[in-house]
């Protein structure tokens, strides 16, 4: 379980949304990596807080089709891919993307909702945590990337932090364009 430093107090999201756990400033390596990943997971939830379904589906920076809903769906697949497919070698069915539509996570239908996709995202986060709970940072993945590479868990955590941080930058811009809300 991740240890978080509650000083200073966790930030609340735009419009009074969810609080984000501040990563500890003194934790060991594993706790530090988990703390930063949880912080970035919470940041994306924070950027989505208080918005309508229409706003979450809004591509605010034309010609880009990038939306907050698409980011949630993409990071759901990223969680699933790195922690369960790569680290454990699990053979899992596609969620949103397919070989024919590699950007399927960024596209959604009229019946898709943020509530449903958020639930799937949170479930994948819990499954990711469970998948690596008993593994060492030095453990090497069972599955291999498309290029045949193996990865240790430390690399996967670091990559996941980078993946969320990069897309949280996108979420910052999307949210500001949608309703003017800004924040770290």
């Amino acid at each position: 379980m991740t240890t978080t430093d509650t000083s200073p107090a966790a930030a609340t999201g735009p419009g009074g949304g969810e609080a984000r756990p501040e990563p500890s400033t003194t934790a060991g390596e594993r706790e530090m990596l988990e703390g930063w990943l949880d912080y970035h997971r919470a940041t994306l939830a924070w950027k989505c807080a208080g918005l309508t379904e229409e706003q979450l589906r809004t591509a605010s920076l034309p010609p880009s089709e990038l939306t907050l809903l698409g980011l949630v769906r993409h990071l759901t697949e990223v969680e699933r891919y790195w922690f369960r497919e790569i680290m454990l070698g699990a053979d899992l069915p596609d969620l949103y993307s397919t070989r024919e539509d590699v950007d399927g996570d960024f596209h959604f239908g009229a019946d898709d909702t943020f509530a449903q996709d958020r639930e799937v995202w949170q479930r994948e986060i819990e499954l990711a945590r469970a998948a690596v709970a008993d593994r060492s940072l030095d453990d090497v993945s069972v599955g291999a990337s498309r290029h045949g590479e193996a990865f240790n868990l430390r690399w996967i955590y670091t990559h996941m932090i980078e993946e969320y941080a990069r897309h949280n930058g996108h979420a910052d811009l999307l949210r500001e364009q949608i309703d003017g809300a800004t924040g770290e």
Side-chain angles (χ1 to χ4, degrees):
M1 181 86 331
T2 301
T3 304
T4 55
D5 182 355
T6 56
S7 287
T12 56
E18 305 178 15
R20 292 183 299 168
E22 290 290 329
S24 171
T25 60
T26 58
E29 183 180 17
R30 174 80 178 242
E31 291 174 288
M32 187 72 69
L33 291 169
E34 289 175 349
W36 276 105
L37 182 53
D38 284 343
Y39 175 82
H40 282 292
R41 287 166 169 158
T43 297
L44 182 58
W46 181 58
K47 291 297 176 178
C48 295
L51 295 177
T52 66
E53 193 72 34
E54 181 181 343
Q55 289 171 316
L56 291 162
R57 295 165 158 271
T58 300
S60 299
L61 303 168
S64 172
E65 295 179 3
L66 192 63
T67 66
L68 289 167
L69 180 59
L71 288 174
V72 166
R73 291 164 63 96
H74 173 69
L75 287 160
T76 300
E77 285 197 332
V78 170
E79 293 272 358
R80 181 181 182 98
Y81 177 76
W82 284 105
F83 287 110
R84 298 201 296 140
E85 293 182 33
I86 295 298
M87 192 66 204
L88 298 184
D91 184 18
L92 302 171
D94 296 324
L95 283 176
Y96 308 116
S97 296
T98 63
R99 290 188 193 280
E100 297 77 36
D101 184 8
V102 295
D103 292 328
D105 44 353
F106 290 110
H107 307 135
F108 40 82
D111 294 336
D112 295 319
T113 67
F114 177 70
Q116 291 167 337
D117 288 336
R118 185 179 194 288
E119 184 177 317
V120 174
W121 175 42
Q122 294 304 307
R123 184 174 60 244
E124 284 299 327
I125 289 171
E126 290 307 314
L127 290 168
R129 286 184 178 127
V132 299
D134 296 332
R135 301 203 179 255
S136 155
L137 292 176
D138 293 320
D139 284 355
V140 176
S141 62
V142 175
S145 73
R146 293 172 194 97
H147 305 291
E149 300 162 303
F151 304 88
N152 68 22
L153 183 56
R154 179 181 293 101
W155 189 96
I156 291 173
Y157 270 119
T158 303
H159 174 69
M160 290 298 296
I161 293 165
E162 176 272 331
E163 183 85 16
Y164 270 94
R166 179 167 41 106
H167 289 307
N168 282 338
H170 298 135
D172 287 340
L173 295 172
L174 288 164
R175 180 66 191 244
E176 184 175 8
Q177 189 71 16
I178 289 168
D179 70 353
T182 61
E184 61 181 65

